[in-house]
Amino acid sequence: MADDKNPDEVTPEEQALADEWAAALDEAGDASQDDIDAMLAQSDAQPRMPMEEFNAPAKGGEDSFDPGDSPNLDVILDIPVTISMEVGNTDITIRNLLQLNQGSVVELDRLAGEPLDVKVNGTLIAHGEVVVVNEKFGIRLTDVISPTERIKKLR
């Protein structure tokens, strides 16, 4: 049975993870406040890119966006982000949350057929409608928020 496992036993995966953490902590060493202050002073001495360059409009106009326009963006273009589609939401009490079970229906704040919100890391970037692609759900973007507006929402 699966319940016969000793809770004090360490699986190979857990041991590998523990070894990785131990190696990382050993590599970090004992950094004192003086070491941290020295690293911060060193990073402050290096020239930084002014923020105005990142906020400057793209060459093709205010609403166009071409990652090739700014070589500084190449560093971040391969960073993974989470994209999600929000059907709707609602507020309920904890009492009602605890009473939910299979077959329960939760009413959302959206009308049927209304566009879904498309969010990247929690920030609204577009609206769209649900489609089926190769027997999987997909979303067709119907309204994309301009990069300029997205940047303004981040501030």
Side-chain angles (χ1 to χ4, degrees), residues 56-92:
K59 294 176 186 173
E62 188 173 298
D63 287 346
S64 70
F65 179 73
D66 180 10
D69 286 346
S70 176
N72 300 325
L73 289 178
D74 289 343
V75 177
I76 65 168
L77 291 179
D78 291 329
I79 295 175
V81 294
T82 301
I83 185 168
S84 60
M85 287 34 138
E86 186 175 287
V87 175
N89 58 55
T90 191
D91 294 325
I92 63 172

Side-chain angles (χ1 to χ4, degrees), residues 2-18:
D3 295 336
D4 292 341
K5 183 183 173 203
N6 183 350
D8 294 332
E9 253 181 66
V10 177
T11 66
E13 294 85 14
E14 292 171 330
Q15 185 60 46
L17 183 61

